[in-house]
Amino acid sequence: MFYSYNTFCDGINRITDNIRADNYKFNYIVGIARGGLIPATVLAYRFKKPVLLIEWSTRDMGKRIS
């Protein structure tokens, strides 16, 4: 599957528009590692909010690599 930059931007724009339309007040953006950090970072810049990063994996059963 090819996910283009334009498709990414369209998705982020839709998310941004939905959040603004809802007028929901929040303190930070949550980004889930392994795919969610880039969208979380873009949204954090757009809304001028800090990012809270979470690491979650069902495959690795809680093992951490340092």
Side-chain angles (χ1 to χ4, degrees):
M1 174 182 214
F2 178 73
Y3 193 77
S4 71
Y5 178 74
N6 288 336
T7 302
F8 172 80
C9 288
D10 289 343
I12 289 292
N13 289 336
R14 281 196 310 261
I15 292 169
T16 301
D17 292 344
N18 287 337
I19 292 171
R20 287 188 174 141
D22 194 34
N23 204 27
Y24 184 75
K25 303 298 180 206
F26 54 93
N27 297 321
Y28 49 86
I29 302 290
V30 176
I32 301 173
R34 294 191 160 182
L37 300 184
I38 293 173
T41 301
V42 173
L43 290 170
Y45 277 113
R46 288 186 178 192
F47 289 102
K48 296 179 176 62
K49 300 290 181 179
V51 178
L52 175 63
L53 305 178
I54 296 176
E55 180 182 322
W56 178 265
S57 177
T58 57
R59 186 191 71 190
D60 297 332
M61 296 177 277
K63 296 178 185 173
R64 289 186 178 225
I65 300 172
S66 42

